[in-house]
Amino acid sequence: MSTPLSGLPTAEQLTEALTRAETYWSSQDTENTESHALLYNIHKIDTPAPESKKGKEGQVYVVPERMRSGMGARIIKRLRAFYAEAPNIAFRPKGLGPASVDKANKIKVAVDEAIDQAVEAAGEPIWGLLTTDAPTYGYAVSLVLPAPMVWFDYPQYKVGQDPDVYLKEVDDYEHAASVPVVWEHIPSREFLLTSLNRINDEGFWKRTVPAQEIIDRFGSDFEARGESLDLGTYGSNPYAELEFITYTNRTHVVYFLRKPNIILRHFEHHMGMCPMVVMLGLVT
């Protein structure tokens, strides 16, 4: 039972597809763990004189350890230097003449501003994280979604209001308000594809969060429907760690838990494509 590329999957379909993806990409997960250790120069050092190799009195046997030189991380950082700045976006005018050129320039300014605002709202250097993941793990992933809730106080037309006055309120608001777009970096180690054939069609973002965070974020949704968010045995411990998964396909975004197996929230994103975008990189 596979997940649909379009439409809303069931909790059972999501859990089955996630489990299948984890099995299929288990070798990649092992490589990602080793690449993570390489990037951050992590060394596993055992305790001297393990029980299986006791030394004579006054002597200690130490199992030789392979220590990293730190060159892997240095090479990755030097490679990143070639992509220090995000690609420059340019718009070609539709026609000849200064009016077409001016319109293209205005669109470029708007897009650049939207990207800057999205990065600022994310609170992290998204492009830098993507260009680190790509050579380290072989791929980098980001999530781009419309965020209409940012414009929660959008001006509403009042009965009897002068249309010109209302249009001016809307124009002033749209010039001053933040761009309603979310751009997030998805750590490569937390991302799963259902298959290579479905790259950029659907994906899973798997994280571990405390139970209390789930209750705070999604409890009101259940209350609004006259229901209660039942986390089973996990609900009694606010610090219990739960697998929180975000799933996206061409039409929907779904937040769900594997244990207990429930869908927390879902909505249509109206983008016509999967909001999780995979950028492939080369590794050596």
Side-chain angles (χ1 to χ4, degrees), residues 158-180:
K158 305 176 186 63
V159 178
Q161 184 179 13
D162 187 326
D164 292 335
V165 173
Y166 172 68
L167 291 176
K168 186 177 186 310
E169 287 182 4
V170 169
D171 188 62
D172 292 343
Y173 181 91
E174 293 182 352
H175 276 81
S178 299
V179 177

Side-chain angles (χ1 to χ4, degrees), residues 72-223:
R74 183 170 181 267
I75 291 171
I76 291 172
K77 290 177 181 177
R78 287 179 67 86
L79 180 59
R80 268 193 58 201
F82 289 100
Y83 306 96
E85 296 292 332
N88 183 44
I89 299 175
F91 292 88
R92 181 177 297 174
K94 281 188 174 181
L96 301 175
S100 296
V101 173
D102 185 57
K103 184 175 181 180
N105 290 337
K106 286 182 178 179
I107 295 174
K108 172 178 170 51
V109 170
V111 171
D112 288 343
E113 178 63 22
I115 294 173
D116 290 343
Q117 288 189 23
V119 171
E120 184 177 354
E124 57 183 10
I126 297 176
W127 179 250
L129 294 172
L130 293 174
T131 53
T132 299
D133 282 359
T136 303
Y137 307 106
Y139 60 99
V141 191
S142 62
L143 173 69
V144 181
L145 278 173
M149 68 290 295
V150 174
W151 285 8
F152 69 94
D153 55 347
Y154 194 86
Q156 300 296 316
Y157 180 75
K158 305 176 186 63
V159 178
Q161 184 179 13
D162 187 326
D164 292 335
V165 173
Y166 172 68
L167 291 176
K168 186 177 186 310
E169 287 182 4
V170 169
D171 188 62
D172 292 343
Y173 181 91
E174 293 182 352
H175 276 81
S178 299
V179 177
V181 174
V182 172
W183 184 27
E184 292 185 273
H185 163 253
I186 299 178
S188 296
R189 297 178 68 202
E190 299 176 358
F191 175 76
L192 282 168
L193 283 172
T194 52
S195 71
L196 277 177
N197 290 332
R198 293 191 170 194
I199 189 170
N200 289 330
D201 281 327
E202 62 176 349
F204 293 95
W205 180 6
K206 188 173 68 172
R207 290 163 282 177
T208 302
V209 301
Q212 189 60 51
E213 184 175 333
I214 298 295
I215 295 171
D216 292 343
R217 185 173 177 183
F218 299 101
S220 59
D221 289 15
F222 285 77
E223 291 176 2

